[in-house]
Amino acid sequence: MTGQAVPAGVVGDLPDALRTRACELFGVQYPIVQTGMGYVSDAALTTATANAGGLGILSAGLLSYGELVAAIDKIKAGTDKPFGVNIRADQSDVEKRIDLLISAEVKVASFALAPKEKLIAKCKDAGLVVVPSIGARRHAEKVAGWGADAVIVQGGEGGGHTGGVPTSLLLPQVVDAVDIPVIGAGGFFDGRGLVAALAYGAAGIAMGTRFLLTSDSPVADAVKQVYLSKTVNDTVLTVEVDGVPQRVLRAGTVDKLESSSKPGRLIRAARNAVAFHRISDVSWKGMISEGLAMRKNQGLTWSQMVMAANAPMLYRSALLEGRTDVGVMATGQVVGLIDDIPSCAELINRIIAEATAVLGRLTPASGAHH
Ligand SMILES: Cc1cc2nc3c(=O)[nH]c(=O)nc-3n(C[C@H](O)[C@H](O)[C@H](O)COP(=O)(O)O)c2cc1C
């Protein structure tokens, strides 16, 4: 699983600065992570990233157990490189999923919500590399204390569930607070950003939105064009999707919910539930029990509960089925700085080439090899 060859013509001599603790820990060539994204980081995207020398992470949060087994098999058929799987620590069958990662010899267990100490210990005992995603310094300190191997630190500008502190502040804060490798996330898209993260003391970068907008991602082409048309001001941090702050495109369902009064929200949420029940194969019973559990666990309002129950369908309808009018599209603010759809290999190669050039510019005498 190790010993990747350097792709021809890219970086014959990778600067030492780009060989970080994260490369060593994950067993990958470059300090670039493609993060877990529900419905987006599927087997194909994960395989493409792994084959391009980065750490690809399969999103398992919205997959059934059987779908997860199939996705892992598919990745292993497409690459012999290491990869990760993003698990929801609050899922009822989380232990069974960890057992699967162990038996399938998956390298990295990534967590969407901070896992408990016991779960981290179980992963570590079996040799998994444990990398939770966190959005606040105290969470990083907590998981580091429990034995996590590294953390992905997501600043507020990042896509999906996110906190309020920007990457430029959160990253140095966490680097100073923990000794394990820190991977910066939220707002990264190019080689300058990679070098900037390293300057803050990070061991690499993780990107979501940038990988969503590659030719290897399963998102519908028309939806990728919608993302490309958006500016940095076209995202909104909303609690209206599932009760937890989430950064999404200001479009379709979210726009309507954000501007509705309370009763209006409930009506819209209910209408959405009816629409999604029609186009999905999830039963009313399943939707309602998931919603009630979330209302109880997360203190949601009724309209948030109704929305939360069908959040997975909101994502799937927009991203995969192109229903941008009724669905929800998670995104980072970085969407406003992205204007093309490269392959994962093109993206990673150009980030490394640019980071190498930037390092050469910053340290002309002593530094990077040319
Ligand atoms: C469409 C989308 C779906 C996401 N789904 C998940 C998820 O299921 N689990 C998770 O840990 N993070 C999820 N995230 C957050 C990303 O993993 C990543 O941390 C974030 O996108 C980084 O910020 P960036 O978009 O500025 O690169 C999602 C992000 C996006 C854009």
Side-chain angles (χ1 to χ4, degrees):
M1 281 211 174
T2 51
Q4 300 88 351
V6 174
V10 184
V11 269
D13 47 354
L14 191 68
D16 288 344
L18 299 182
R19 288 181 222 275
T20 70
R21 287 205 284 164
C23 301
E24 204 178 310
L25 182 65
F26 304 147
V28 298
Q29 198 173 346
Y30 303 127
I32 297 175
V33 178
Q34 163 257 303
T35 51
M37 290 177 281
Y39 293 126
V40 177
S41 58
D42 62 356
L45 185 64
T46 307
T47 305
T49 306
N51 283 330
L55 179 72
I57 299 181
L58 171 77
S59 172
L62 300 174
L63 299 183
S64 68
Y65 182 81
E67 288 168 336
L68 177 57
V69 173
I72 291 175
D73 284 348
K74 200 167 160 198
I75 297 169
K76 292 183 82 170
T79 186
D80 59 358
K81 306 273 170 71
F83 61 95
V85 175
N86 181 254
I87 303 269
R88 260 174 54 195
D90 63 341
Q91 242 162 356
S92 56
D93 63 349
V94 63
E95 303 252 351
K96 191 173 155 203
R97 287 172 185 244
I98 300 291
D99 288 337
L100 172 64
L101 266 53
I102 295 166
S103 63
E105 294 180 347
V106 171
K107 177 93 181 179
V108 173
S110 136
F111 288 94
L113 297 167
K116 292 280 175 284
E117 189 168 10
K118 215 177 110 221
L119 204 57
I120 294 183
K122 180 181 167 84
C123 295
K124 295 222 36 168
D125 285 349
L128 283 167
V129 173
V130 178
V131 187
S133 288
I134 58 95
R137 177 175 57 184
R138 67 179 192 285
H139 295 151
E141 288 169 339
K142 200 152 73 175
V143 295
W146 288 344
D149 295 286
V151 273
I152 293 177
V153 171
Q154 179 172 332
E157 59 269 64
H161 294 122
T162 202
V165 184
T167 302
S168 59
L169 304 178
L170 187 63
L171 195 48
Q173 215 187 12
V174 173
V175 164
D176 286 346
V178 301
D179 291 327
I180 54 177
V182 173
I183 314 295
F188 293 104
F189 68 105
D190 68 356
R192 291 172 300 179
L194 171 54
V195 175
L198 298 178
Y200 277 123
I205 55 171
M207 302 182 292
T209 307
R210 181 60 276 196
F211 277 104
L212 182 154
L213 293 170
T214 61
S215 56
D216 296 301
S217 107
V219 170
D221 284 339
V223 178
K224 287 179 184 166
Q225 294 305 321
V226 171
Y227 274 82
L228 288 185
S229 72
K230 299 296 180 180
T231 74
V232 287
N233 296 315
D234 292 330
T235 78
V236 60
L237 190 58
T238 182
V239 294
E240 295 304 331
V241 178
D242 61 5
V244 187
Q246 179 168 184
R247 187 173 298 286
V248 301
L249 281 186
R250 195 193 293 278
T253 306
V254 170
D255 215 12
K256 289 176 211 139
L257 280 167
E258 279 282 308
S259 56
S260 299
S261 63
K262 258 192 190 168
R265 283 177 195 187
L266 184 53
I267 291 165
R268 278 189 197 285
R271 265 201 216 126
N272 256 302
V274 172
F276 285 110
H277 180 249
R278 245 187 248 131
I279 59 178
S280 76
D281 51 10
V282 175
S283 69
W284 278 115
K285 195 165 162 253
M287 277 173 66
I288 291 166
S289 60
E290 166 109 349
L292 284 173
M294 289 179 99
R295 177 172 157 83
K296 189 161 151 252
N297 293 340
Q298 296 172 12
L300 305 186
T301 65
W302 285 105
S303 59
Q304 283 170 343
M305 181 205 80
V306 178
M307 287 296 289
N310 57 49
M313 279 156 287
L314 289 170
Y315 306 137
R316 193 178 68 196
S317 309
L319 295 172
L320 304 187
E321 291 154 19
R323 297 286 305 270
T324 55
D325 52 335
V326 285
V328 167
M329 292 164 280
T331 185
Q333 273 187 287
V334 71
V335 71
L337 284 81
I338 295 173
D339 57 13
D340 64 354
I341 310 281
S343 68
C344 282
E346 285 163 350
L347 175 65
I348 289 179
N349 288 345
R350 94 181 172 208
I351 290 175
I352 293 299
E354 189 184 11
T356 303
V358 170
L359 286 166
R361 176 160 58 76
L362 292 175
T363 55
S366 61
H369 316 266
H370 298 281

